[in-house]
Amino acid sequence: MNDTNTTLLKHVTGISGLDEATRGGLPAGQATLVLGQAASGKTVLGLQVLARAVERGEGGVFVTFEESPTQIKRDAASFRWGENLLASDHWRVIDARPRPDAQAAGEFDVEGLLSIVGAAVSQTGGNWIVFDGIDQLLQLQPDARVAIEQVRRIDEYCENQGWTLLLTGKATGESMAPAHLEGIEFLLSATLVLSARMVDQQLNRSLRIAKFRGSAHVTDELPMILDDDGIQFPYHETPPDSVFLATNERLSTGSERLDKLLDGGIYRGSSLLISGRPGTAKSTLAGCFAEAAARRGERTLYISFDELEGPYVRNLASVGVDLRGPIETGLVRFEDLSAFALRVTEHFLILRRLLDSFDPHCLVIDPVSALLKASGSEGSEMATEHLIDLVRRRGITTVLTSLSGVQDPEGEATQGQVSTLADSWIVLDYNVRGGERNRSLSIVKSRGSAHSNQERELLLSGDGIDLADIYEHGSAVLMGSARAAQEREDAEAQRRRRIERERRRLELERRLEQIDVERGRLKEELELDEEESAETDRREQMYQERVKQRRDPVVDNSPADEHRDEGKLS
């Protein structure tokens, strides 16, 4: 047996997300079983696979066992890809519905049907075959073992012809086999299970790859959306070709003082979470960031779940933030969405399409916690994780706002645990004192940055956003009027201390002057004492010499000399 026969080949479906989940498509030249409840999207899946094949220059045949060919074409026309499909000569619809009055009378085979399909394939040049609702035909087979054998023959025939086959059938409860065909799931190489169930009064669809022999695949249940573009798998898009490289470039938040606290701003391509209670200026800071991006000439996609564009832009203008100009020039695209209107998966798909079409440098979601209000079996946490991963891979700098956790009185927890995903986290809060409510800002984390750990007072005015250092008075933190009053008291106390120091200085200077005067007087007195002492010493010396001369017999002391000496002494 050669390598060609032993290597699993895959045939791409052209459905983004499904090809990624199956690691390249469905098994080529083999049959794949597609099971599902009513309205789960089985027929649409088959039609969409054929439509994508036609777009690639391939073709195929759709064999219907339930709906009429007209209804099948009507179904296809309801999607955006339906027009090209209906206009193409590379596909055919075969009506294989049993007649309403048909009755089972012994066994039958599908050789004739396969011959018709073969003729259609030769006309279209395609290699995709869809048997939609095969259980409707085979339930007429009185022996279930023979029905399964018919499926085996279909599978072998398609493999010999090189056709890739989709067999759709209705699921029965938790069974992985269509009605009347129990055991078929062991025969085929791949099985896809579609489901449709009500969650929070909304229909939720999903797909699970229950079986795929010889191939790695995603085993999780994939949330699925059915809209004008057909079947969508929002969380499993094709990764971008280019990889975003982390740089040291920092972007301004729109507040110079806040940028300094963040060591120069936030990194390009990173995510910033702004959380806080209602009214703490989360949306204002987000708008300030969008305005700063517009000043740099960068595009910003602003998603608002709380406010409409008109009131929001007006309110921002009252605090010196202008978004009207950037919106009119196209640098800011504002989209107001209703969290209640759609499921979480649908919101994510809308965001992804907006990112694809607008290709922004920056993204603002205000607030991301609104996704908790949307219904969906997959949960808002999954949507948030996929969203942050998506924007990181595309290098989009993102600002998310979020309400603080309901059970967290300090305001340092977020709904949906967004804080664990963001690169930087700013917490806004209130400081209530003396009957006054003031806003405060602190930075909880900022990866890769030497950020401030100090709490600041957040000030809003017509000139914009500003931050003031907190005022510590003992163990208390003062803001607003209490801060101003304490500042006045401290300034007055400082003024009094200044005056007291000046008075003391002047007193000491006066005393120094007095000391200098007393020193001069004492110095003069000392000099006089020294002169008097010197004169006294001189006279004493002369007296001693005179006495000595008198007592010395050698010396002739005449009366005249004595008289002269007495005159000198006098």
Side-chain angles (χ1 to χ4, degrees), residues 125-164:
N127 52 11
W128 273 104
I129 310 298
V130 178
F131 279 13
D132 186 36
I134 186 68
D135 53 305
Q136 289 296 103
L137 174 66
L138 296 182
Q139 69 179 347
L140 299 177
Q141 189 66 262
D143 190 338
R145 290 177 299 176
V146 174
I148 294 177
E149 177 63 21
Q150 297 284 12
V151 173
R152 187 189 63 78
R153 291 178 60 187
I154 294 173
D155 183 33
E156 290 181 353
Y157 187 88
C158 290
E159 184 175 1
N160 293 333
Q161 299 295 325
W163 301 341
T164 303

Side-chain angles (χ1 to χ4, degrees), residues 4 20 102 108 144 151 184 187 191 195 218 240 274 282 306 315 330 344 346 422 450 454 468 481 486 502 529 567:
T4 303
E20 284 70 34
F108 62 88
V151 173
I184 191 176
L187 176 65
T191 301
S195 63
V218 175
I274 304 174
K282 300 182 298 296
D306 280 351
N315 297 339
V344 174
E346 292 173 311
Q454 299 292 314
S481 299
Q486 189 61 48
E502 181 67 15
D529 287 345

Side-chain angles (χ1 to χ4, degrees), residues 85-96:
L85 177 64
L86 296 178
S88 174
D89 293 330
H90 295 286
W91 81 300
R92 294 288 187 275
V93 180
I94 296 177
D95 187 358

Side-chain angles (χ1 to χ4, degrees), residues 145-208:
R145 290 177 299 176
V146 174
I148 294 177
E149 177 63 21
Q150 297 284 12
V151 173
R152 187 189 63 78
R153 291 178 60 187
I154 294 173
D155 183 33
E156 290 181 353
Y157 187 88
C158 290
E159 184 175 1
N160 293 333
Q161 299 295 325
W163 301 341
T164 303
L165 175 64
L166 291 181
L167 293 173
T168 74
K170 290 181 288 296
T172 56
E174 298 297 327
S175 175
M176 286 178 53
H180 313 292
L181 293 175
E182 286 78 5
I184 191 176
E185 67 274 16
F186 300 103
L187 176 65
L188 304 179
S189 298
T191 301
L192 306 181
V193 178
L194 306 181
S195 63
R197 56 184 178 272
M198 297 299 296
V199 177
D200 295 333
Q201 300 180 345
Q202 289 189 340
L203 183 63
N204 283 249
R205 294 184 175 92
S206 63
L207 178 144
R208 179 169 60 90

Side-chain angles (χ1 to χ4, degrees), residues 302-323:
Y302 198 110
I303 306 297
S304 175
F305 287 103
D306 280 351
E307 298 189 71
L308 300 177
E309 177 182 329
Y312 178 68
V313 173
R314 177 201 62 200
N315 297 339
L316 283 181
S318 67
V319 290
V321 179
D322 175 31
L323 280 190

